[in-house]
Amino acid sequence: MIKQYCLEELCPFVREVGLQRKDSWRTYARRIYDHEFFYCFTGHAHIQIEDREYTMREGDIAVIPPNTPHVFWAEAKTPGELYFFHCDFEWWNDQNYLYDYYNTPESYAKLFSHELTEVERIRPQLALHNGWTFSDIYSFAGNEDAERIFRSLYKYYIRKDECFSLHAKILVLQLLELLIEQPGHGYQASDQRVSDTILSFMQSNYYRKLNVDEICKSTRLNTDYAGKLFKRETGMTLIESLNRIRINKAKKLLIEPDLNIEDIAEMVGFQNENYFCTVSKKITGLTPAKLRSYMLSLQDKEEETKL
């Protein structure tokens, strides 16, 4: 579940801060109820979020959203040392309950089940009203602000500072500002249309078996939000636009006599020849075979003109 917030609504609550060294869970994926942030300040570590695997190096930040399967393990040769903290972005009445839950072995073991057992405690994933959501990984190598934020959180936490909750709110909001403003991960620039970003991604990846979620991740925006903006700006759905790109690429390949229709379908990203035929007829009014004849006739006319 994703919940959209205004920045003014955010009221971060940090329940636990610590150091992650040789701990790992690689055999079974873990799920948590809140957001967790990791910062690698030395060495290497590996993290997999759903089916996406990353190697974390110095200066990298990983964000684990609620109820998202993830695994973590240390690099054997250069084990990483990481700060971590758990937090919410609004007030919940069970703040202390979750802390005890995470620190009780019997209940902690339940986090490695296929589903979280106490559904009512699962926090919503954070999204802002402009559609911005967290990426999996951010790189802040050489950025002193990122390291300062995590070190300060840890310092205030282990000191049991009486103003810890206030310090934590300030530091988490500073971290959020860094993540939002990092190039390639933040707000869409006012002079850049979402459709331009998506079209550029599709032009470079049309040959892959893409789905809507993967296409929208190129914008770092919520999938529904990015899809609606794209339709508003282009008048087409994402799949309609992707298919038009694929057909335009196919037209160039159809001129090559050594390529058969099935091969061309695969080369431009269609699942099979039948789907290629369906899309081709819908967009051009012609089957791939007839489209090939048409494209070859245009080529012949072009050659005649040159003579």
Side-chain angles (χ1 to χ4, degrees):
M1 179 180 69
I2 296 176
K3 180 176 178 180
Q4 290 189 331
Y5 297 83
C6 291
L7 282 172
E8 294 78 9
E9 295 177 302
L10 299 180
C11 184
F13 174 86
V14 175
R15 66 173 40 81
E16 184 176 9
V17 187
L19 287 172
Q20 192 86 20
R21 290 193 173 97
K22 295 183 179 179
D23 295 346
S24 64
W25 53 93
R26 191 173 185 177
T27 305
Y28 299 101
R30 188 185 73 163
R31 295 173 184 263
I32 54 177
Y33 288 91
D34 53 4
H35 288 81
E36 184 173 16
F37 294 77
F38 289 97
Y39 175 81
C40 183
F41 64 93
T42 185
H44 296 163
H46 300 279
I47 195 163
Q48 180 177 320
I49 303 171
E50 294 182 316
D51 60 350
R52 304 178 295 278
E53 184 176 320
Y54 306 94
T55 297
M56 294 187 67
R57 297 174 173 83
E58 184 177 340
D60 285 353
I61 294 174
V63 183
I64 311 299
N67 198 25
T68 302
H70 58 282
V71 295
F72 174 90
W73 68 100
E75 175 71 49
K77 294 182 179 179
T78 55
E81 292 188 284
L82 298 91
Y83 290 107
F84 73 85
F85 69 88
H86 288 266
C87 83
D88 298 331
F89 289 96
E90 61 181 324
W91 178 257
W92 287 66
N93 291 325
D94 60 355
Q95 305 289 17
N96 293 329
Y97 176 89
L98 268 194
Y99 174 84
D100 293 337
Y101 190 99
Y102 288 160
N103 288 279
T104 303
E106 292 77 12
S107 56
Y108 182 79
K110 297 178 183 178
L111 301 179
F112 296 89
S113 303
H114 291 297
E115 296 179 351
L116 292 173
T117 56
E118 302 187 34
V119 179
E120 71 281 1
R121 301 189 191 277
I122 299 174
R123 281 41 174 163
Q125 295 186 26
L126 172 71
L128 299 181
H129 275 308
N130 73 330
W132 183 90
T133 55
F134 287 116
S135 299
D136 293 337
I137 294 287
Y138 299 82
S139 180
F140 285 96
N143 186 308
E144 295 181 357
D145 286 336
E147 183 170 346
R148 172 189 59 80
I149 289 169
F150 279 85
R151 286 192 183 276
S152 298
L153 271 172
Y154 184 67
K155 178 184 69 175
Y156 290 126
Y157 183 79
I158 62 174
R159 286 181 180 175
K160 300 190 182 301
D161 191 292
E162 61 181 11
C163 291
F164 169 74
S165 62
L166 178 59
H167 290 305
K169 282 181 173 62
I170 294 170
L171 290 166
V172 172
L173 289 174
Q174 289 176 354
L175 176 63
L176 188 58
E177 180 183 17
L178 282 181
L179 301 185
I180 289 172
E181 292 185 346
Q182 189 182 42
H185 295 267
Y187 288 102
Q188 288 290 322
S190 59
D191 59 346
Q192 181 184 14
R193 300 196 312 167
V194 168
S195 58
D196 293 336
T197 302
I198 291 176
L199 286 169
S200 176
F201 176 84
M202 291 195 294
Q203 288 282 359
S204 300
N205 295 274
Y206 65 89
Y207 55 88
R208 296 170 50 202
K209 290 179 172 60
L210 297 173
N211 57 42
V212 171
D213 284 343
E214 188 173 1
I215 293 169
C216 288
K217 280 179 182 176
S218 68
T219 67
R220 307 294 179 181
L221 296 176
N222 172 271
T223 296
D224 290 339
Y225 182 79
K228 289 175 182 177
L229 275 183
F230 185 87
K231 179 70 180 292
R232 187 189 310 163
E233 292 174 1
T234 67
M236 290 185 287
T237 67
L238 291 163
I239 298 303
E240 287 171 343
S241 183
L242 176 61
N243 282 339
R244 286 185 178 275
I245 290 171
R246 286 171 167 167
I247 291 298
N248 284 333
K249 299 293 183 181
K251 287 178 180 179
K252 298 177 181 178
L253 296 174
L254 286 167
I255 297 174
E256 302 294 330
D258 295 336
L259 294 175
N260 61 44
I261 302 296
E262 184 179 2
D263 289 338
I264 293 172
E266 183 178 354
M267 291 169 70
V268 299
F270 287 114
Q271 297 174 0
N272 52 58
E273 186 178 346
N274 288 336
Y275 186 52
F276 179 26
C277 182
T278 299
V279 174
S280 179
K281 287 181 70 176
K282 181 177 181 180
I283 292 176
T284 70
L286 302 172
T287 64
K290 290 182 178 180
L291 183 58
R292 164 171 269 171
S293 297
Y294 173 71
M295 295 301 297
L296 288 172
S297 69
L298 291 180
Q299 186 182 47
D300 291 341
K301 288 181 181 179
E302 180 66 21
E303 292 297 325
E304 292 175 5
T305 302
K306 290 179 181 180
L307 294 175

